């Protein structure tokens, strides 16, 4: 299972009906374009598949740096990429990430907003499909597909069926037994 996971993509891009669909686990920082997101994801993928995996895993998670800059290097750079793609919920307009708040998008910390509501996001032209944020539930609106409907908490396991156009997205769901209690 670990070997299989190491060979999965951190971000996927597809053009459907002439429009871009970008798929990630959690989010895309406002400074990142579609192309930059794919390049940065590939940086992490190379390390996950490479000989320094053990060293990387020991430093992969942490809350610093909390903001992306192209000047980041080494483990700090990789950690910022991982955090953006796998942990992002709220950030400031200039991309400072909050890692503590897991509540609804309606209750952001002061000065923060859901990453997908940041004005002038560089990847805003794409429809971005993501999960990770069960309190959002199912969302299918122009430019956004949120698929986490709380399976682990006893909600549903959800998927988006996209058949030739991003204008007609079908919500497919299966009820799940509760695997964890909130908190």
């Amino acid at each position: 299972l670990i070997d299989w996971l190491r060979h999965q993509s951190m971000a996927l891009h597809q053009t459907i009906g002439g429009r871009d669909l970008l798929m990630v686990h959690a989010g895309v920082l406002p400074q990142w374009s579609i192309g930059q997101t794919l390049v940065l994801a590939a940086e992490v993928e190379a390390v996950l598949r490479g000989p320094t995996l053990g060293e990387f895993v020991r430093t992969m998670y942490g809350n610093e740096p909390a903001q992306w800059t192209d000047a980041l290097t080494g483990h700090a750079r990789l950690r910022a990429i991982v955090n953006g793609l796998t942990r992002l919920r709220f950030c400031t307009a200039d991309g400072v990430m909050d890692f503590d708040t897991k509540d609804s998008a309606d209750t952001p910390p002061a000065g923060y907003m859901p990453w997908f509501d940041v004005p002038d996001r560089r990847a805003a032209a794409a429809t971005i499909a993501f999960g990770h944020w069960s309190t959002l539930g199912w969302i299918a609106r122009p430019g956004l597909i949120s698929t986490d409907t709380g399976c682990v908490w006893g909600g549903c396991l959800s998927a988006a069926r996209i058949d030739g156009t991003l204008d007609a997205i079908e919500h497919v769901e299966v009820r799940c037994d509760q695997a964890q209690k909130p908190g």
Side-chain angles (χ1 to χ4, degrees):
L1 181 59
I2 290 173
D3 187 57
W4 179 83
L5 283 171
R6 290 176 63 197
H7 290 87
Q8 300 311 300
S9 298
M10 300 279 298
L12 292 169
H13 173 260
Q14 189 166 3
T15 302
I16 298 174
R19 293 170 43 203
D20 292 309
L21 174 65
L22 182 62
M23 296 169 276
V24 297
H25 176 77
V28 177
L29 284 167
Q31 302 93 331
W32 296 349
S33 66
I34 298 166
Q36 185 177 14
T37 300
L38 295 169
V39 167
L40 295 173
E43 285 184 38
V44 174
E45 292 163 13
V47 175
L48 288 171
R49 296 169 189 156
T52 61
L53 175 66
E55 178 186 342
F56 170 63
V57 169
R58 284 189 288 281
T59 63
M60 182 171 66
Y61 283 111
N63 294 348
E64 295 295 329
Q67 184 175 24
W68 174 258
T69 171
D70 290 334
L72 288 171
T73 60
H75 291 292
R77 179 181 180 88
L78 295 171
R79 189 177 315 112
I81 297 166
V82 167
N83 284 341
L85 294 173
T86 69
R87 297 179 65 202
L88 184 60
R89 288 185 181 97
F90 294 105
C91 66
T92 64
D94 55 351
V96 176
M97 296 176 271
D98 171 77
F99 300 114
D100 296 324
T101 309
K102 295 172 175 55
D103 297 332
S104 155
D106 299 332
T107 56
Y112 289 80
M113 64 195 84
W115 64 267
F116 49 81
D117 286 339
V118 172
D120 303 319
R121 287 183 301 112
R122 292 196 58 217
T127 294
I128 300 180
F130 68 101
H132 180 67
W133 197 348
S134 64
T135 57
L136 288 179
W138 173 263
I139 298 173
R141 68 180 200 207
L144 198 69
I145 305 169
S146 169
T147 63
D148 189 337
T149 51
C151 177
V152 73
W153 314 117
C156 292
L157 177 63
S158 290
R161 182 171 186 261
I162 301 170
D163 196 17
T165 176
L166 292 173
D167 294 320
I169 298 167
E170 180 184 354
H171 178 200
V172 180
E173 67 181 21
V174 176
R175 296 284 318 154
C176 298
D177 292 332
Q178 185 172 357
Q180 290 186 7
K181 293 184 179 185

